[in-house]
């Protein structure tokens, strides 16, 4: 019980620390550009995605602590968390890759986005099918 609590606190702490670092890097990525056409203010969206995933990790860690304290089952929460995170981690990089291709940028510079997107898409399919099989077993 104490080990599980420590593990879940570490999970929530990792999510919180990751969120803080992502927030700092997001703020530091601020860029301001002004020309004769107007003003452009931008941030690196990769850090925004990292913040969203960090919030999900922190929330999942807190929920696991809650389930541990109340002796509740958290199997479905694991699948919902996994499907949510792998959805973000698959569709965002694939979107970045295909947007770069559409803008006629060098595809080799964005190959890492394609690789991450494909691997996470495979994980997403796995978690979805595993959730479906768990639901069928319970029925």
């Amino acid at each position: 019980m104490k080990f599980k609590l420590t593990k879940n606190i570490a999970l929530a702490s990792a999510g919180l620390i990751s969120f803080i670092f992502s927030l700092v890097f997001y703020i530091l990525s601020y860029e301001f550009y002004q020309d004769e056409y107007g003003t452009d203010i931008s941030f690196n969206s990769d850090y925004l995605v990292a913040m969203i995933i960090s919030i999900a990790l922190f929330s999942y860690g807190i929920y696991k602590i809650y389930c541990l304290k109340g002796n509740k089952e958290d199997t479905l929460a694991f699948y919902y968390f996994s499907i949510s995170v792998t959805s973000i981690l698959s569709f965002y990089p694939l979107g970045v890759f295909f947007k770069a291709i559409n803008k006629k940028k060098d595809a080799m510079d964005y190959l890492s986005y394609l690789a991450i997107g494909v691997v996470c898409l495979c994980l997403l399919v796995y978690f979805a099918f595993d959730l479906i099989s768990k639901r069928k077993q319970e029925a």
Side-chain angles (χ1 to χ4, degrees):
M1 174 79 166
K2 190 173 181 179
F3 177 73
K4 285 184 179 182
L5 181 62
T6 305
K7 185 173 75 168
N8 293 333
I9 289 173
L11 183 66
S13 299
L16 184 61
I17 292 168
S18 175
F19 174 76
I20 292 168
F21 276 104
S22 300
L23 179 63
V24 168
F25 286 131
Y26 182 74
I27 292 169
L28 291 175
S29 73
Y30 168 80
E31 290 183 2
F32 178 81
Y33 179 74
Q34 188 172 8
D35 60 7
E36 63 272 359
Y37 298 110
T39 303
D40 181 39
I41 297 173
S42 64
F43 294 91
N44 187 334
S45 58
D46 292 353
Y47 297 126
L48 181 62
V49 171
M51 281 192 300
I52 292 169
I53 290 173
S54 299
I55 290 170
L57 183 64
F58 175 72
S59 301
Y60 180 63
I62 294 297
Y63 182 73
K64 287 203 46 107
I65 293 169
Y66 169 76
C67 288
L68 187 64
K69 293 288 186 183
N71 291 325
K72 294 186 179 187
E73 183 67 31
D74 65 343
T75 305
L76 285 180
F78 168 75
Y79 285 107
Y80 294 147
F81 167 76
S82 300
I83 289 172
S84 301
V85 168
T86 54
S87 294
I88 294 169
L89 286 175
S90 60
F91 295 125
Y92 171 75
L94 290 173
V96 169
F97 176 77
F98 288 117
K99 182 178 176 182
I101 296 296
N102 192 34
K103 290 187 172 191
K104 310 275 191 269
K105 294 185 179 178
D106 186 21
M108 295 305 286
D109 294 338
Y110 293 89
L111 228 65
S112 60
Y113 284 99
L114 178 64
I116 291 169
V118 169
V119 168
C120 290
L121 189 62
C122 292
L123 283 172
L124 174 63
V125 170
Y126 168 77
F127 285 128
F129 280 124
D130 200 31
L131 175 62
I132 291 168
S133 71
K134 293 274 189 215
R135 295 284 220 159
K136 285 184 179 180
Q137 288 176 354
E138 290 174 1

